[in-house]
Amino acid sequence: MTGILLVQGDITHQSVDAIVNAANSSLLGGGGVDGAIHRRGGPEILAECRALRAARYGRGLPTGQAVATTAGRLDARWVIHTVGPVFSEDEDRSELLASCYRESLGVADALGARTLAFPAISTGVYRWPMADAARIALETVRSAETAVEEIRFVLFDTPAYEVFARQIG
């Protein structure tokens, strides 16, 4: 049985096997969670991301997929990078957002991770409405078959935490 926890705080301070990064497709760092993970984790993460770009993801990591690197100086073994979709009022991209969670769990299982910390994927600059993002995230992880024993949703601020808390019941 997988336990789901909500934590308010900074995902880069979590002590877990793997931290999920809401990455951009370039895998080369950016703003928000992505930038914070790269800054705190150090240059080892960027070096592995560059190697992935050179070897397998020359055009970048596709939306909804996930790939792992070292966690560098973070208190984790791995960072699992996933690219969330940009929210659109004209096109339902919910399946791509759900795929980020499923694919990240699949990578975590392949690595042998037992504890995993997720941010609220696509809710920052990609503008996904928090309540809908929380619903998709929680439904997806609850229905996933995974060996991960503990899933933490690490929400940066009180409003995000409260939205997830209402959704979790």
Side-chain angles (χ1 to χ4, degrees), residues 5-149:
L5 301 173
L6 302 182
V7 176
Q8 184 179 335
D10 183 339
I11 198 167
T12 67
H13 292 276
Q14 296 300 301
S15 179
V16 289
D17 292 332
I19 292 174
V20 176
N21 180 19
N24 63 53
S25 63
S26 77
L27 295 175
L28 302 178
V33 170
D34 193 20
I37 285 172
H38 277 272
R39 281 189 302 277
R40 186 163 172 88
E44 300 88 355
I45 297 172
L46 183 57
E48 284 196 26
C49 285
R50 283 188 174 133
L52 284 167
R53 284 295 306 268
R56 290 178 33 203
Y57 299 105
R59 295 186 175 173
L61 183 65
T63 301
Q65 293 190 17
V67 66
T69 65
T70 181
R73 295 188 295 246
L74 296 170
D75 192 9
R77 293 178 66 189
W78 305 283
V79 171
I80 299 172
H81 306 267
T82 189
V83 180
V86 174
F87 180 74
S88 170
E89 292 189 16
D90 302 326
E91 178 185 351
D92 182 6
R93 298 178 180 167
S94 300
E95 182 51 37
L96 283 171
L97 184 55
S99 179
C100 291
Y101 292 98
R102 274 194 308 276
E103 293 292 319
S104 294
L105 285 167
V107 170
D109 283 338
L111 294 169
R114 295 293 174 255
T115 55
L116 183 64
F118 277 110
I121 298 167
S122 288
T123 61
V125 297
Y126 289 0
R127 305 179 322 277
W128 205 285
M130 189 64 72
D132 193 46
R135 177 189 62 78
I136 292 166
L138 290 165
E139 285 177 2
T140 303
V141 301
R142 282 180 173 145
S143 65
E145 290 189 26
T146 180
V148 174
E149 296 166 2

